[in-house]
Amino acid sequence: MAGTNSERQLLAEGPSIILVEPQMGANIGMVARAMANFGLAELRLVNPRDGWPNERAQATASKADHIIEATKVYDTLEQAIADLNFVYATTARVRDGYKPVRSPVAAAETLRAKFKAGEGTGILFGRERWGLTNEEVALADEIVTFPVNPAFASLNIAQAVLLMSYEWMKSGMEDLAAVPFQAVEQKPSTKEQLFGLFDQLEEALDARNYFHPAGKKPKMVDNLRAVLSRRAFTEQEISVLRGVISSLDRFSRKSPRGSGSHQRSPAVPKETTRDDSNGE
């Protein structure tokens, strides 16, 4: 979904995302993109395999340049989290030890509360192939794990970051049902407008001998009206449908719109070729 808009407010806050020994620049770029989608801004890398900066990461970040350009690189995990107050370690595997294990929702709420309190927070993500070591998990305060298919629990690193970033965004919303935009409000059609659609469509079909045999016409008309009456049309929708009918009346297959010929279909009387669509 395309939705980049440089004229709107850019959210850039929240916990640091810390990738431990990431192997592929493309994955780092996709992580940056996921972070940017949901308002996170600080990316930290621990000993990236292919070094830094990385052209592939830049390319796959899809204009999340503010994150790529500000990325910090560390030699060790201890250095990467030294200035933070609270850290989560992500894992899909059961770990030995006594670390509390949280869901993404609970973890995001904790991170939001600590962020508001002015604490530095971070989330650790391990290597693409085998995640974090037990020693690395031990450096975190708590564990966060995802509710995934137990028989297929492996997540791409960018997917994992996306899930946590999404929960972070949700934790700051006052109304979880709120959406960033609404459908354009449309005015419901009147029955008179609907009857006009009936008349126009039935006349167009009658001109083409659609109602055949003649004895079945009343039932066919009833069925057609029942279909068109199953839901309440808006004025705009009525206009669109009538515009379609007008186009079928006005142009034939042999002389379509734009061909330079404006001949009506020969079976259609002149008085029926009106146009009630704003688009025609």
Side-chain angles (χ1 to χ4, degrees):
M1 302 189 305
T4 303
N5 189 338
S6 60
E7 297 179 358
R8 303 189 69 175
Q9 178 189 6
L10 177 66
L11 299 177
E13 57 182 24
S16 299
I17 298 297
I18 304 151
L19 308 185
V20 179
E21 296 186 353
Q23 297 168 286
M24 300 176 63
N27 283 340
I28 298 173
M30 288 188 285
V31 163
R33 180 178 183 178
M35 293 170 60
N37 285 150
F38 298 103
L40 297 177
E42 186 170 287
L43 177 60
R44 301 184 181 190
L45 307 179
V46 177
N47 191 26
R49 184 189 67 181
D50 296 336
W52 194 260
N54 185 291
E55 292 184 1
R56 187 60 178 157
Q58 185 83 47
T60 57
S62 297
K63 298 184 179 180
D65 297 331
H66 62 292
I67 295 177
I68 293 295
E69 293 170 1
T71 297
K72 300 176 182 178
V73 180
Y74 301 84
D75 293 328
T76 67
L77 177 56
E78 289 84 351
Q79 293 172 353
I81 65 175
D83 63 327
L84 302 180
N85 304 104
F86 186 90
V87 175
Y88 273 110
T90 60
T91 181
R93 304 195 309 272
V94 176
R95 302 283 183 159
D96 295 331
Y98 302 95
K99 301 286 184 184
V101 181
R102 310 298 184 192
S103 70
V105 174
E109 291 174 351
T110 297
L111 290 169
R112 179 69 64 174
K114 291 183 178 297
F115 171 75
K116 289 181 178 179
E119 294 185 32
T121 59
I123 312 173
L124 304 182
F125 296 85
R127 302 152 190 84
E128 288 92 330
R129 289 189 176 183
W130 43 280
L132 296 167
T133 66
N134 288 333
E135 291 77 15
E136 290 162 347
V137 171
L139 296 178
D141 296 276
E142 295 183 358
I143 290 172
V144 58
T145 193
F146 304 101
V148 293
N149 183 348
F152 199 81
S154 177
L155 288 173
N156 173 277
I157 189 172
Q159 294 174 326
V161 171
L162 181 72
L163 289 174
M164 281 306 304
S165 300
Y166 174 60
E167 293 300 339
W168 163 259
M169 174 67 82
K170 283 172 53 182
S171 71
M173 296 174 60
E174 294 182 3
D175 180 5
L176 293 181
V179 292
F181 59 87
Q182 296 286 345
V184 177
E185 185 174 351
Q186 298 186 9
K187 186 177 180 181
S189 66
T190 64
K191 293 301 181 184
E192 181 180 13
Q193 290 168 329
L194 184 60
F195 297 155
L197 172 63
F198 290 161
D199 292 343
Q200 184 184 7
L201 180 56
E202 289 163 18
E203 194 284 326
L205 293 173
D206 211 12
R208 291 161 175 80
N209 199 28
Y210 173 80
F211 302 110
H212 181 81
K216 291 187 176 181
K217 179 178 178 179
K219 181 59 175 177
M220 295 175 74
V221 168
D222 286 345
N223 290 341
L224 181 63
R225 292 192 174 197
V227 169
L228 295 174
S229 301
R230 289 183 66 180
R231 52 152 291 176
F233 285 104
T234 66
E235 289 185 348
Q236 293 88 339
E237 290 167 337
I238 292 288
S239 179
V240 167
L241 289 173
R242 298 195 67 172
V244 169
I245 299 167
S246 292
S247 181
L248 294 174
D249 273 346
R250 182 175 299 177
F251 306 103
S252 70
R253 289 176 180 265
K254 293 182 179 180
S255 300
R257 182 177 182 178
S259 65
S261 173
H262 297 286
Q263 296 179 354
R264 291 181 294 274
S265 298
V268 183
K270 180 178 179 180
E271 61 269 20
T272 67
T273 59
R274 63 185 181 275
D275 185 357
D276 296 282
S277 170
N278 293 330
E280 275 289 307

